[in-house]
Amino acid sequence: MPQNRFMKEQSNENKLIEGEDFYYTPEGYKCFTEKHHLKRGYCCKSGCRHCPYGYDKQTGEIKKIR
């Protein structure tokens, strides 16, 4: 049973917070914030609206952002 408690605690640490990590668009989609992307630490290459890594979905390239 101690393993189950650890797993529950671990999943709570990674819990998304509405308004901080994401928000809902008027269409009802979950949209991740720049803060969430930076916490994750890498670009998922999905062309996210708030991508801090400069990924361009049309070209497939990551453009350096100053």
Side-chain angles (χ1 to χ4, degrees):
M1 275 211 172
Q3 284 181 335
N4 290 340
R5 260 198 320 249
F6 175 73
M7 292 174 90
K8 187 175 181 181
E9 288 173 17
Q10 190 175 23
S11 65
N12 284 338
E13 286 178 15
N14 298 327
K15 198 170 195 174
L16 297 175
I17 301 168
E18 186 173 356
E20 184 176 317
D21 294 309
F22 72 95
Y23 62 90
Y24 288 101
T25 67
E27 299 80 22
Y29 294 104
K30 190 180 285 187
C31 186
F32 293 112
T33 63
E34 180 179 3
K35 184 174 183 175
H36 169 74
H37 291 294
L38 291 171
K39 280 195 323 189
R40 186 175 55 201
Y42 63 92
C43 179
C44 65
K45 297 184 179 177
S46 295
C48 300
R49 184 179 292 176
H50 302 290
C51 179
Y53 303 105
Y55 180 73
D56 184 336
K57 192 173 183 175
Q58 291 182 339
T59 64
E61 297 177 358
I62 294 179
K63 299 177 183 174
K64 273 219 168 189
I65 296 179
R66 297 179 216 168

